[in-house]
Amino acid sequence: MTTIATTNPATGEVEKTFDALTDEEVDRRIARAAQTFASYRTTALAERAGWMNAAADVLDREADRIAAIMTAEMGKTLKAAGAEARKCAKACRYYAEHAAEFLADRRPADPRDVDARDAYVRYEPLGPVLAVMPWNFPLWQVIRFAAPGLMAGNVGLLKHASNVPQTALFLEEVFRRAGFPEGAFQALLIGSSQVERVLRDPRVKAATLTGSEPAGRSVASIAGSEVKTTVLELGGSDPFVVMPSADIEAAAWTAAESRCLNNGQSCISAKRFIVDIGCADEFERRFVANMRAKRVGDPLDEATDIGPLVSERARAETEELVADAVAKGARVLCGGERPDGPGWFYPPTVVSGVTPEMRMYHEEVFAPVASLFRVRGVSEAVEVANATGFGLGSNAWTRDDAERERFVRELDAGQVFVNGMTTSYPELPFGGTKRSGYGRELSAEGMHAFCNAKTVWVG
């Protein structure tokens, strides 16, 4: 039997364990989801909105409680965890307010143009949706699927990462306490080997996954063979381009904030810093100083900027990537050595001179480790920025209008943030291109991702 556990990354100690659900119990929960969907899909939007606003109230009231759980399970700082909880409450309220607008019948053409008395598109829910979610933003990643999904009339089955079981159970509790019908949102404490069985169940109509590229390939392959809708948000190796016209001080400060966000474990954090030689010396000096100033330590301490990496394996993989780069000629400008003591801590690190022969050039580094590149002009900056199989987010820093337009047009990514740090908002669609996945979360697009856009023609 698979054991699912909370292992504190700051200490390396197992704090709580759970047995994985049996196949029989999983079947019962899928049956409950399908039964609930049959009636839940007909509930009034106003009723769903009331429940969703109540869920937001629970998240706000209990932000401190869930923040402590998240910090214990995956190591993010307590202040970051509290901010995540409040962001989730905001997203719930956003969808409660805007669902009627997003789900309203849409008339894309004059009925006379299609020989009809009336013609429109109606958005209808698909059914039970399986969400395979990661540990790095264990609350936010789920809410950005669950809030639009539940408001659209779908029901959710959550297979969360096995190291955040208490967060998964908290989420189930939130929606139950908010008043959603029993079975509208259920957490499945199961191992990865049980995912295929759930996804192939004919009562499960779609799936969404945020996670690694191999996990995405597996879910997409299984869902494809079953002809089921999927949305995938996979890894990222986001570029952060800085041109001489930029506010270099602001760019260097934001660069360090982005690279160290969530202990360096964020898909949309900038990871490759591509700087024009006209400002490279100043940017490097400021950036390295900002990275060195970050305080690594106890994630429960308000003064801490960076907590531990999620696991011993994660730290070992980071060390291997840095060592490979150094062995092939790169230079470590700061950090690069694990601190003494318990826990899986790793310092803010800047590596310069990264070349295509190095693993770090092609692979995502999921830690507070930055690659620094020097380029000549916009064309070379775009070339280096796009020289990756990923295409999730991107940053461009310039005050030149022509340069801005080129970056917006030419950067291969699902998002381009100009003169600001890449982040996610309920109001804007979120997703990637290339090996970073497909489909969109958030905004109206995130709600429509798991709807049947039904064409209605009336003669």
Side-chain angles (χ1 to χ4, degrees):
M1 182 175 291
T2 300
T3 298
I4 296 170
T6 295
T7 302
N8 193 323
T11 64
E13 296 178 358
V14 176
E15 296 191 351
K16 198 167 187 178
T17 62
F18 302 81
D19 290 328
L21 299 178
T22 64
D23 287 343
E24 292 74 19
E25 178 59 25
V26 171
D27 283 343
R28 282 193 288 271
R29 296 193 182 204
I30 295 174
R32 186 184 303 149
Q35 183 178 10
T36 298
F37 173 69
S39 57
Y40 178 70
R41 65 180 301 173
T42 66
T43 56
L45 268 175
E47 191 170 23
R48 293 179 214 162
W51 295 330
M52 191 60 68
N53 280 320
D57 292 340
V58 174
L59 287 165
D60 272 336
R61 283 197 310 269
E62 305 200 8
D64 291 344
R65 173 190 166 202
I66 185 54
I69 291 173
M70 288 191 282
T71 296
E73 292 201 308
M74 57 71 57
K76 70 169 74 233
T77 64
L78 192 63
K79 59 187 176 184
E84 182 172 337
R86 289 184 286 275
K87 182 175 183 177
C88 289
K90 175 185 175 183
C92 289
R93 293 191 176 95
Y94 174 80
Y95 278 105
E97 179 181 353
H98 292 280
E101 170 193 346
F102 295 158
L103 295 173
D105 293 345
R106 181 172 62 90
R107 287 171 168 74
D110 186 320
R112 293 170 296 182
D113 293 339
V114 293
D115 303 318
R117 180 164 57 87
D118 197 7
Y120 55 94
V121 177
R122 173 159 294 176
Y123 294 100
E124 297 181 342
L126 298 180
V129 179
L130 172 65
V132 182
M133 293 287 105
W135 49 262
N136 58 332
F137 289 95
L139 209 66
W140 173 239
Q141 300 278 13
V142 178
I143 289 296
R144 69 190 199 189
F145 135 76
L150 288 168
M151 286 304 304
N154 295 303
V155 299
L157 294 165
L158 169 64
K159 189 286 180 215
H160 219 325
S162 294
N163 60 327
V164 291
Q166 294 184 73
T167 304
L169 294 173
F170 173 85
L171 282 157
E172 182 179 79
E173 177 190 329
V174 166
F175 290 113
R176 183 175 63 250
R177 288 171 56 189
F180 284 92
E182 190 73 22
F185 185 92
Q186 300 175 84
L188 305 179
L189 296 190
I190 59 176
S192 58
S193 63
Q194 294 169 277
V195 169
E196 180 172 357
R197 190 171 183 275
V198 176
L199 188 50
R200 290 195 185 279
D201 191 297
R203 294 167 294 187
V204 175
K205 302 302 181 182
T208 178
L209 176 140
T210 298
S212 69
E213 188 180 340
R217 290 180 186 275
S218 176
V219 165
S221 176
I222 296 166
S225 70
E226 298 289 342
V227 197
K228 294 182 179 181
T229 297
T230 53
V231 170
L232 302 181
E233 192 262 278
L234 309 180
S237 190
D238 289 7
F240 188 105
V241 180
V242 183
M243 301 303 291
S245 66
D247 181 335
I248 304 303
E249 181 179 3
W253 182 88
T254 304
E257 290 294 300
S258 180
R259 185 67 291 251
C260 296
L261 178 72
N262 207 44
N263 306 345
Q265 300 167 127
S266 170
C267 295
I268 57 168
S269 285
K271 298 180 176 75
R272 298 177 300 125
F273 298 85
I274 301 161
V275 189
D276 188 272
I277 58 170
C279 59
D281 288 344
E282 181 185 358
F283 178 86
E284 179 182 301
R285 174 176 56 81
R286 291 181 179 274
F287 180 42
V288 171
N290 291 336
M291 292 286 277
R292 282 190 176 130
K294 296 292 184 186
R295 179 173 174 178
V296 180
D298 181 358
L300 295 174
D301 188 337
E302 282 291 318
T304 295
D305 298 306
I306 302 174
L309 297 184
V310 71
S311 66
E312 187 173 14
R313 178 182 175 186
R315 183 169 67 175
E317 290 175 348
T318 299
E319 291 174 326
E320 289 172 8
L321 287 169
V322 173
D324 172 77
V326 171
K328 294 172 181 174
R331 291 188 306 121
V332 175
L333 303 183
C334 69
E337 295 183 4
R338 68 163 69 180
D340 295 330
W344 301 309
F345 295 90
Y346 195 82
T349 300
V350 179
V351 182
S352 70
V354 176
T355 63
E357 294 75 28
M358 303 169 188
R359 290 175 57 196
M360 190 180 293
Y361 189 94
H362 305 283
E363 298 179 32
E364 179 181 22
V365 186
F366 221 53
V369 177
S371 301
L372 194 57
F373 301 84
R374 295 186 177 218
V375 296
R376 296 177 181 273
V378 174
S379 294
E380 187 178 356
V382 169
E383 181 181 355
V384 174
N386 290 340
T388 174
F390 297 108
L392 190 54
S394 61
N395 280 244
W397 286 76
T398 175
R399 287 183 284 202
D400 181 283
D401 290 345
E403 290 177 347
R404 183 192 69 224
E405 288 305 313
R406 283 199 62 186
F407 288 128
V408 169
R409 182 176 66 249
E410 297 180 26
L411 288 175
D412 291 338
Q415 301 140 94
V416 179
F417 276 61
V418 181
N419 299 332
M421 186 168 71
T422 305
T423 186
S424 55
Y425 297 94
E427 298 88 350
L428 297 174
F430 180 94
T433 61
K434 300 192 286 187
R435 289 187 359 238
S436 289
Y438 54 76
R440 291 294 180 267
E441 299 174 298
L442 302 177
S443 190
E445 286 85 348
M447 180 169 278
H448 294 161
F450 294 109
C451 288
N452 172 28
K454 178 184 285 185
T455 295
V456 179
W457 185 96
V458 181

